[in-house]
């Protein structure tokens, strides 16, 4: 099971992910020092002093490309490209730039700004800052990770297991698929695959800060984007400007404990959905939460044993159905799609809605093509950002998952198999943050967040040298620009330097 900790709270019916900017010229490099290049070594200076060339690529938006070293420890070696897009603030009100990241790992910041600018930051912030989205290394229009072709990704994401779930044979099958995927990534990506860790991305982000002429970084990171922000603050504590970390990830969490926490979170969100559902005229369930969960559990077991054929030839098994259930749980505004899903499967014995939701989650379009490489990038980055545990630990985790989340936990098991056979060892290990500078950093935690539990926001805030927490008493993943005027006002005032929030704010 792959869980994307990204901003998926956008309306499913209007979610459109587009390709990279049409015009992305290579920047000119002029190796000169300036106040913005402070801290850059002689070898890094050409990257910190390159001149970005921005060209119009969409109505009201501009695109560019920057160069970065493949390996920041060897700036004189191979180079990679980073794709950027920006919405330019009016000249008479502009005070600087603000970078945004939608999460993942694997989500495109270029697409985020292009398609969802008003979700990225509020209108008042847009009037004061150039809003810049970037595709982190390995992702999208930047030099990217590449693994399977379309048919291979279909089999990898939607293929049915040949062995019974929970058996040794099933674990062997998973390992075989993980090895096949890892080998394809290594063969088709090359040396980049060992350098897509989040610390390298934080180094890229500091370079981009210098290239747009900001002394300090202003940044809004959602979900996994909070981890990038945390790595930046730890690596460059004196260059922290205004950082908003929404849907926080706790840097001390390993991949195993994270998976258990997310399984619990999604099962909680499913219960919340069911409570809401009973008040809707089209709710497919007629009794209490416990009874409805039994129905869903039976449904998952049924398709696990006898998959439902879809019109395009694919078959709906339990893993894909769990993906389809999870996708709308990221936002309360999307819960209505669960009514359609369960009605379609239960009453019509149909897989159409389930595959539509799973395809949306996996970024697969109506023609069967993958819009972006988010699935490949997710694994590549995750395996460098946290070490894989041993087989004995997987089995222990499987027992924990089944106990902690009785309905969906068993479908989350053995998530670390992919990283156990990854061709590169993890660069980052779970640990508390070091000093992050004196500038206040704003953290947002949503009480009903299924993907990034509120406890992670509490933990991250305590690790920051000067962390400020907003606890949002709402549902869904992340809190800024999700309908709370309380959250939005605090964030906007903080970014605009109107007011620094208190140590703890409740919304």
């Amino acid at each position: 099971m792959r869980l994307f900790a990204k901003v998926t709270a956008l309306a499913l019916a209007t979610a459109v992910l587009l390709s990279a900017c049409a015009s992305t010229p290579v920047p000119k490099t002029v190796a000169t020092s300036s106040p913005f290049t402070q801290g850059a070594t002689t070898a890094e200076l050409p990257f910190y002093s390159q001149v970005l060339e921005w060209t119009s690529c969409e109505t009201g938006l501009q695109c560019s490309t920057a160069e970065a070293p493949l390996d920041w420890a060897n700036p004189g070696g191979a180079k990679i490209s980073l794709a950027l897009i920006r919405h330019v603030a009016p000249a008479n009100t502009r005070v600087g730039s603000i970078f945004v990241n939608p999460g993942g790992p694997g989500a495109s910041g270029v697409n985020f700004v292009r398609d969802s600018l008003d979700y990225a930051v509020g209108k008042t912030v847009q009037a004061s800052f150039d809003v810049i989205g970037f595709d982190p290394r390995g992702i999208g229009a930047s030099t990217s990770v590449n693994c399977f072709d379309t048919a291979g990704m279909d089999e990898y994401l939607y293929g049915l297991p040949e062995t019974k779930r929970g058996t040794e044979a099933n674990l062997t099958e998973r390992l075989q698929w993980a090895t096949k995927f890892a080998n394809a990534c290594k063969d088709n990506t090359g040396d980049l695959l060992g350098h897509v860790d989040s610390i390298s991305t934080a180094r890229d982000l500091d370079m981009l800060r210098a290239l747009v002429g900001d002394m300090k970084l202003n940044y809004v990171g959602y979900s996994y984007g909070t981890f990038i922000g945390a790595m930046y603050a730890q690596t460059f504590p004196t260059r922290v400007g205004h950082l908003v970390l929404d849907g926080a990830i706790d840097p001390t969490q390993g991949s195993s404990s994270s998976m258990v926490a997310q399984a619990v979170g999604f099962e909680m969100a499913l219960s919340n959905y069911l409570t809401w559902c009973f008040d809707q005229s089209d709710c497919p369930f007629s009794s209490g939460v416990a009874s409805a969960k039994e129905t869903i559990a039976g449904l998952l077991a049924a398709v696990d044993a006898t998959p439902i054929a879809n019109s395009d030839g694919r078959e709906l098994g339990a893993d894909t159905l769990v993906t389809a259930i999870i996708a709308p749980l990221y936002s309360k505004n999307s819960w209505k799609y669960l009514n359609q899903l369960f009605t379609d499967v239960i009453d019509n014995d149909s897989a159409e809605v389930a595959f539509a939701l799973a395809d949306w989650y996996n970024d697969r379009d109506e023609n069967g093509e993958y819009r972006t490489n988010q699935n490949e990038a997710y694994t590549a980055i995750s395996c460098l950002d946290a070490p894989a545990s041993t087989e004995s630990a997987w089995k222990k985790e499987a027992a924990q998952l089944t106990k902690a989340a009785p309905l969906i936990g068993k479908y989350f098991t053995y998530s670390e198999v992919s990283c156990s056979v990854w061709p590169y060892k993890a660069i980052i290990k779970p640990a508390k943050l070091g000093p992050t500078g004196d500038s206040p950093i704003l953290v947002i935690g949503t009480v009903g967040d299924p993907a990034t539990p509120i406890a992670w926001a509490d933990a991250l805030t305590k690790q920051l040298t000067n962390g400020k927490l907003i606890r949002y008493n709402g549902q869904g993943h992340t809190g800024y620009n999700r309908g709370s005027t309380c959250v939005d006002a605090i964030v906007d005032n903080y970014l605009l330097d109107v007011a620094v929030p208190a140590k703890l704010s409740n919304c």
Side-chain angles (χ1 to χ4, degrees), residues 416-491:
E416 295 177 84
V417 165
S418 294
C419 292
S420 73
V421 296
W422 202 246
Y424 296 95
K425 291 184 178 180
I427 292 173
I428 303 173
K429 295 181 179 180
K432 288 186 177 181
L433 294 174
T436 56
D438 295 332
S439 296
I441 297 174
L442 186 57
V443 179
I444 305 172
T446 300
V447 172
D449 192 325
T452 52
I454 184 69
W456 292 358
D458 293 333
L460 177 60
T461 305
K462 292 174 182 176
Q463 293 172 53
L464 297 170
T465 302
N466 191 6
K468 310 286 187 178
L469 176 65
I470 300 177
R471 292 177 62 89
Y472 170 43
N473 187 30
Q475 298 295 323
H477 188 37
T478 72
Y480 180 46
N481 285 330
R482 301 297 178 264
S484 170
T485 55
C486 172
V487 173
D488 294 352
I490 294 172
V491 174

Side-chain angles (χ1 to χ4, degrees), residues 142-206:
S142 294
T143 304
S144 60
V145 171
N146 183 31
C147 304
F148 283 154
D149 60 14
T150 299
M153 285 305 300
D154 274 354
E155 183 63 23
Y156 182 62
L157 294 173
Y158 298 98
L160 301 174
E162 297 179 359
T163 54
K164 186 177 180 180
R165 187 181 306 277
T167 63
E168 287 295 328
N170 185 251
L171 178 55
T172 298
E173 183 182 357
R174 288 170 180 259
L175 281 165
Q176 290 172 343
W177 261 108
T179 301
K180 184 179 180 180
F181 180 73
N183 289 340
C185 294
K186 184 177 181 181
D187 292 343
N188 295 321
T189 302
D191 291 342
L192 172 69
L193 199 64
H195 297 281
V196 292
D197 59 283
S198 296
I199 291 178
S200 293
T201 294
R203 298 290 302 272
D204 295 340
L205 190 53
D206 189 60

Side-chain angles (χ1 to χ4, degrees), residues 64 83 112 125 249 261 337 347 349 355 400 410:
S64 188
F112 187 42
V125 177
I249 289 178
Y337 296 103
D347 293 348
D349 197 31
F355 274 110
Q400 292 174 333
K410 65 181 178 181

Side-chain angles (χ1 to χ4, degrees), residues 203-225:
R203 298 290 302 272
D204 295 340
L205 190 53
D206 189 60
M207 178 195 74
L208 296 175
R209 168 204 58 79
L211 298 188
V212 299
D214 285 352
M215 293 294 294
K216 295 189 176 184
L217 177 72
N218 300 309
Y219 173 81
V220 176
Y222 295 94
S223 200
Y224 159 74

